[in-house]
Amino acid sequence: IIERLNFYFKRLTHNIIGESYAIVFDAKEDSFPIKIVGLNGKPGTGIKKAMITCFDMTHIDLIIEKKYHMPTFLIHDKMENIDLMELTKIVDEGRNFSGQYIIPILSDRIARLGIKDDEVVLSLSAKDKFFRI
């Protein structure tokens, strides 16, 4: 499982962040048994959010590959914390993603990210609110 996770994770981190990272599993430690190796220093909020995106997409890719009966969609919020360059790469990866990837994004970023009109499923505004509330 770890080998297949790393197959997807290394590709995604390379394509989105620009560096390949790996997932290691160590059940002997008292802390959380999954670690990301190759990460130097303290990453900022945007890189952490991009890493979470890579990890979650990796998990869904593995679910699909192994034909597990589980949901195959992701929803990520607060994507505005991610640098526009990485966010553009996340949108590109989302286009090729086998699962469904849902991100709420501010309308001014839609054009800057190259998101096409037919890729926008729902648009909300101060006048047109979700559930009309």
Side-chain angles (χ1 to χ4, degrees):
I1 296 287
I2 292 293
E3 184 179 316
R4 291 309 294 163
L5 278 173
N6 276 315
F7 170 79
Y8 292 116
F9 191 69
K10 286 178 180 181
R11 183 187 62 78
L12 284 168
T13 55
H14 175 74
N15 291 350
I16 291 173
I17 300 169
E19 294 181 47
S20 294
Y21 297 96
I23 299 168
V24 293
F25 181 76
D26 188 357
K28 297 175 189 170
E29 293 187 25
D30 292 336
S31 62
F32 193 70
I34 295 175
K35 306 254 186 269
I36 296 174
V37 293
L39 194 59
N40 297 318
K42 271 197 132 171
T45 304
I47 291 295
K48 287 179 190 175
K49 193 80 171 155
M51 281 283 187
I52 290 167
T53 301
C54 292
F55 183 81
D56 290 347
M57 285 179 145
T58 294
H59 187 229
I60 298 295
D61 283 337
L62 187 66
I63 287 170
I64 291 169
E65 175 186 313
K66 298 292 185 183
K67 296 181 173 68
Y68 296 144
H69 296 286
M70 298 175 72
T72 57
F73 67 90
L74 296 174
I75 302 172
H76 286 141
D77 196 10
K78 300 195 181 192
M79 300 300 278
E80 57 272 357
N81 292 333
I82 299 175
D83 182 75
L84 202 56
M85 186 172 68
E86 279 96 15
L87 193 51
T88 301
K89 293 175 184 177
I90 288 171
V91 169
D92 288 342
E93 285 296 325
R95 288 185 177 110
N96 299 317
F97 184 54
S98 296
Q100 183 180 14
Y101 189 49
I102 304 164
I103 56 170
I105 197 79
L106 299 172
S107 59
D108 65 324
R109 286 219 165 172
I110 290 175
R112 291 171 56 192
L113 291 170
I115 297 172
K116 302 171 189 132
D117 288 341
D118 63 340
E119 294 174 316
V120 176
V121 176
L122 177 65
S123 292
L124 301 173
S125 68
K127 293 179 182 177
D128 189 15
K129 296 180 181 184
F130 201 57
F131 297 121
R132 307 289 185 246
I133 307 174

